[in-house]
Amino acid sequence: GEALAVSARVAPLGSRLVLLLVEDLTEARRIEAVRRDFVANVSHELKTPVGALSLLSEAVMDASDDPEAVQRFAGRMQIEATRLTNLVQELIDLSRVQNDDPLEDAEPVRVDELVAEAIDRCRHQAGTKQITMAAGGTADLHVWGNRGQLAAALGNLVENAVNYSPVRTRVGIAARRITAPGGDLIELAVTDQGIGISDKDKERIFERFYRVDPARSRATGGTGLGLAIVKHVAASHGGEVTVWSAEGQGSTFTLRLPEAAAARAARDRDRDRA
Ligand code: ADP
């Protein structure tokens, strides 16, 4: 009787342990698969512009007695080279946000400056598409974190809003402070009147290299890494990024980040305790 009772007590524990081990292995395999996919994706993404550059340089050599053709090919080489530069830069940004602890040199960052920087970054592209950009509510707000990473995150959202919108539309950036029990948050909402995103794609757009329409993304210089960077920055700052969208109507990407004074107070409390 005793033995039975003991084994009845141990058996569930044993199976739970086995389950944990299996889950652990499955998780390790999943991480390995993600890593392998990432390397394969990077290789593929690099191959496309490099292949094009190689073909175009051959074409230039063959067309050496046709200055007009040389001009044309050189122009396309420049586009491919820009694509390659963008990709390498985004890969560097991604590895930086994944490896550096943003809170190590965190500071209060002015929201109006972040927003102005993001708008500046897209000014040219927005101008050629006659897209109006407007920001509101940014005065006197501060978020807590790594300035460069936060600028990259917001910049990517505004850049996407401009890229995935038709001509003569509006892109708005609205900021506000939200009172929350765990410490106040700053909400930054980027709204466009663009092509929108289906429910099915909404789940995947934050994955590295995932694009709804790869041709369209490439045409605008997209790399498929922007939203992966945004998601990483948000999470590592103790915030989040969410999306609302209606196909054909537009999208709103919302970034919620710890408010500076609240985050600093929380950090100081933790330090005092330690
Ligand atoms: P990309 O470099 O392709 O823009 P992102 O990671 O920034 O890569 O975005 C992933 C995909 O999500 C894009 O290719 C696009 O299909 C979709 N997307 C992102 N932002 C928007 C938006 N504001 N409106 C519509 N689609 C968007």
Side-chain angles (χ1 to χ4, degrees):
E2 173 115 15
L4 207 70
V6 167
S7 76
R9 236 179 295 133
V10 169
L13 186 69
S15 58
R16 220 176 303 149
L17 270 178
V18 170
L19 200 66
L20 279 178
L21 276 174
V22 171
E23 271 172 5
D24 236 30
L25 266 175
T26 321
E27 175 63 6
R29 275 212 200 101
R30 197 190 58 81
I31 291 170
E32 172 59 18
V34 167
R35 196 192 58 78
R36 231 181 300 128
D37 279 359
F38 180 65
V39 173
N41 278 331
V42 171
S43 316
H44 175 79
E45 296 292 335
L46 286 170
K47 249 188 183 157
T48 312
V50 169
L53 278 171
S54 157
L55 285 174
L56 285 164
S57 69
E58 266 171 45
V60 166
M61 284 189 278
D62 290 344
S64 52
D65 51 355
D66 179 354
E68 237 170 72
V70 168
Q71 273 291 311
R72 206 167 55 238
F73 292 139
R76 283 174 52 193
M77 287 179 86
Q78 205 165 33
I79 293 171
E80 296 299 334
T82 305
R83 192 163 292 166
L84 203 53
T85 311
N86 285 347
L87 178 61
V88 171
Q89 186 54 54
E90 293 251 282
L91 282 169
I92 291 171
D93 285 352
L94 182 65
S95 91
R96 209 171 271 156
V97 303
Q98 285 180 337
N99 295 327
D100 297 356
D101 176 6
L103 303 183
E104 214 152 82
D105 46 14
E107 56 179 343
V109 180
R110 289 176 60 133
V111 169
D112 56 357
E113 283 180 10
L114 281 181
V115 170
E117 220 172 285
I119 289 180
D120 244 15
R121 209 168 111 172
C122 306
R123 201 175 290 284
H124 178 73
Q125 174 76 355
T128 55
K129 291 172 85 174
Q130 291 176 267
I131 288 175
T132 321
M133 291 194 284
T138 60
D140 299 326
L141 295 184
H142 296 79
V143 287
W144 179 253
N146 180 298
R147 190 168 216 300
Q149 289 197 13
L150 293 172
L154 187 66
N156 275 322
L157 291 182
V158 177
E159 207 163 53
N160 281 345
V162 171
N163 277 342
Y164 299 103
S165 290
V167 294
R168 284 191 286 281
T169 52
R170 265 176 65 96
V171 169
I173 309 170
R176 63 180 182 135
R177 184 182 182 131
I178 312 174
T179 313
D184 286 4
L185 298 171
I186 301 291
E187 184 181 273
L188 290 160
V190 181
T191 300
D192 65 56
Q193 302 171 319
I195 58 175
I197 304 157
S198 73
D199 286 339
K200 182 173 90 10
D201 289 316
K202 256 177 233 166
E203 294 168 18
R204 303 206 54 194
I205 48 173
F206 293 97
E207 292 172 20
R208 296 174 298 197
F209 292 118
Y210 186 81
R211 305 156 164 124
V212 177
D213 176 352
R216 180 176 181 136
S217 160
R218 284 206 191 88
T220 59
T223 61
L225 292 176
L227 288 179
I229 292 173
V230 176
K231 187 179 172 183
H232 230 286
V233 170
S236 65
H237 279 76
E240 60 170 3
V241 57
T242 54
V243 59
W244 173 92
S245 186
E247 272 182 285
Q249 289 179 42
S251 313
T252 296
F253 282 83
T254 305
L255 200 52
R256 289 190 194 86
L257 295 161
E259 195 278 331
R264 181 150 55 175
R267 183 202 60 179
D268 291 347
R269 267 199 308 277
D270 286 349
R271 276 197 188 155
D272 287 348
R273 217 172 286 147

